[in-house]
Amino acid sequence: MRKAMPSSPSSPYLNTTQAAQALGVSVSTVKRWVDEGVLPAHRTAGGHRKLLRAEVLALARQGEVPQGDWAALTGLPFKGPPADLGTAALELAKALLHGQGAEVRGIIGGLYAAGVSVEALADRVIAPALAVVGHDWENGKIDIWQEHRGTQLCAGALFELRKDLELRAEKNRPVAVGAAPAGDPYLLPTLLAQYVLLDAGWEAVNLGPNTPLGSLEQAVRQLRPRLLWLSVSYLEDEASFLHAYQALYRVAEGEGIAVAVGGRALAPALRSDMPYTTYGDRLEHLAAFARTLHPRPKRPKWGRPRRM
């Protein structure tokens, strides 16, 4: 394969040579996929095919393609996925503890590029890594600023994935709205829920941590989502939360909105007094439920492409 001119990761488009190099296949294979509708593309005024970078990455994540230059698709350092997600979680924890932002972005972005779902990233890599960081803080091995730094590094790495998720978003996709309740300061649980829903094809509006449920109720009335999610990692007052939540649920139920709840603060005794559509203690549960409400069309099967 002839050497392609490098494409800036900030550019949303690739030509067929750049796409072939990134995927590890021939240019003729890329052109065939375009002609067969497997890989969306449009033609320039000069008749050249231009491919959306996000669509090429989506194909790489979903298909059995040879590993090419996937760093060219994400703009992130990519050294290939580790042997298993448990190893990845340990590597991520080490990078978070040492404040290695580039390494954090490389691990999260590389796994995403390699086809790991956002929910698997959240449940099996990011959550265990943050648990290690939290354990070290609780035992006095690190200071709170280091724990906060780790959270921000994860959030930053996730933010870099959003461009890809948004670029290949469907038109007229359903809306989901969510937050963490007042007094819950945790940023990542509801942010990860948002990214899981984006990956599942939703327009996910995350109102963030420490959101009064009365304010969330107003958002539901105005945005009229199809799905409402609530991430509850910490509660100051269970009785006050339950009162506000039941009022919120009545509004959602009246509008025909599905309600998904989760989080470590929702103990079984509390949940027994909470009406909801679905509960999950992992984001894989939220992803599965969201896909039952809004199934996305699957890509055509094309078989394993031949290596160059």
Side-chain angles (χ1 to χ4, degrees):
M1 182 187 298
R2 65 186 178 88
K3 184 71 173 178
M5 291 294 290
S7 171
S8 168
S10 62
S11 171
Y13 294 104
L14 299 171
N15 60 36
T16 53
T17 303
Q18 292 163 341
Q21 183 173 322
L23 293 170
V25 299
S26 67
V27 174
S28 61
T29 295
V30 171
K31 291 180 178 178
R32 174 167 58 83
W33 287 346
V34 170
D35 293 339
E36 293 175 353
V38 173
L39 191 56
H42 74 270
R43 292 184 182 273
T44 65
H48 300 291
R49 296 176 177 88
K50 299 293 286 185
L51 298 91
L52 197 61
R53 182 187 301 273
E55 289 289 353
V56 177
L57 178 57
L59 181 67
R61 295 183 67 228
Q62 296 177 23
E64 295 181 348
V65 296
Q67 180 180 319
D69 182 13
W70 286 3
L73 297 177
T74 63
L76 299 171
F78 179 61
K79 57 184 180 182
D84 58 77
L85 296 185
T87 300
L90 293 175
E91 291 180 356
L92 181 59
K94 181 180 178 181
L96 292 173
L97 288 169
H98 290 86
Q100 298 169 329
E103 186 72 10
V104 171
R105 295 193 302 274
I107 293 169
I108 292 176
L111 288 169
Y112 174 80
V116 177
S117 67
V118 176
E119 58 268 25
L121 263 174
D123 289 338
R124 305 182 195 180
V125 180
I126 295 175
L130 289 174
V132 171
V133 175
H135 180 269
D136 280 5
W137 170 65
E138 290 172 355
N139 287 275
K141 294 181 179 180
I142 62 173
D143 194 79
I144 188 64
W145 71 264
Q146 293 165 299
E147 190 270 343
H148 286 182
R149 179 181 64 183
T151 296
Q152 293 301 322
L153 288 175
C154 274
L158 290 168
F159 182 77
E160 294 194 10
L161 302 183
R162 179 160 187 165
K163 182 186 294 185
D164 165 66
L165 294 169
E166 292 286 2
L167 279 173
R168 59 187 182 88
E170 304 165 11
K171 294 181 179 179
N172 303 317
R173 54 185 172 159
V175 176
V177 176
D184 184 340
Y186 292 97
L187 169 71
L188 283 179
T190 189
L191 180 66
L192 286 166
Q194 177 190 25
Y195 276 65
V196 164
L197 291 169
L198 287 171
D199 195 35
W202 291 70
E203 180 181 348
V205 180
N206 175 29
L207 304 183
N210 200 26
T211 301
L213 295 192
S215 181
L216 183 55
E217 180 181 323
Q218 293 184 39
V220 166
R221 291 182 186 277
Q222 292 188 33
L223 299 177
R224 303 181 69 84
R226 189 173 173 191
L227 173 64
L228 168 67
W229 85 84
L230 192 64
S231 173
V232 190
S233 300
Y234 174 78
L235 287 175
E236 292 180 332
D237 184 333
E238 288 190 359
S240 297
F241 164 79
L242 187 59
H243 178 76
Y245 173 80
Q246 289 172 339
L248 173 64
Y249 181 83
R250 286 193 294 270
V251 171
E253 183 182 37
E255 298 290 340
I257 299 167
V259 179
V261 300
R264 64 174 181 261
L266 296 182
L270 177 60
R271 291 203 312 273
S272 66
D273 293 326
M274 292 175 58
Y276 49 79
T277 310
T278 187
Y279 163 80
D281 57 3
R282 298 173 68 87
L283 285 171
E284 288 170 329
H285 299 151
L286 176 62
F289 178 70
R291 290 182 176 116
T292 64
L293 295 179
H294 176 59
R296 299 186 79 175
K298 294 184 178 180
R299 291 181 178 275
K301 298 291 185 181
W302 57 82
R304 181 182 289 276
R306 291 177 295 177
R307 290 186 179 273
M308 293 297 296

